[in-house]
Amino acid sequence: QVQLVESGGGSVQAGGSLRLSCTASASSTNMAWFRQIPGREREGVAHIARNDSPLYSDSVRGRFTISRDYFKDTLYLQMNSLTPDDTAMYYCAAAKYVDRPLSPGEYTYWGQGTQVTVSA
């Protein structure tokens, strides 16, 4: 069992930045960030695994950076050039094996989420 706790969400104006953190109770091979707007499906944002290149969704590539501190078992998401379309609840997730890194169904463990709100 892996427990995940996100932090770092908040409200920011368009063009601003936020850094999300996710602390894990144990190490997992694959970790990712997802986001969800009420009434819509959860969307994969970014994925990272040891010895693998980070993977990003088209909507955030070039603006968001996923990173991981393996010593601290902490996942990060640096979000720059935020727009109102980035407003969502952001979740971190972990799994031992994934075939589709940005598919929510691949992940076993989830955090409780942290809200990001971007105003125009």
Side-chain angles (χ1 to χ4, degrees), residues 14-36:
S17 298
L18 283 174
R19 188 194 195 204
L20 306 183
S21 299
C22 172
T23 301
S25 62
S27 181
S28 291
T29 303
N30 294 277
M31 295 194 76
W33 288 99
F34 290 81
R35 64 187 182 186
Q36 189 169 24

Side-chain angles (χ1 to χ4, degrees), residues 36-41:
Q36 189 169 24
I37 301 170
R40 297 183 64 176
E41 292 185 356

Side-chain angles (χ1 to χ4, degrees), residues 32-35 42-45 89-91 93 102-104 107 110:
W33 288 99
F34 290 81
R35 64 187 182 186
R42 194 164 292 189
E43 172 194 10
V45 173
M89 183 72 79
Y90 282 71
Y91 300 89
L102 295 182
S103 175
Y107 290 83
W110 292 87

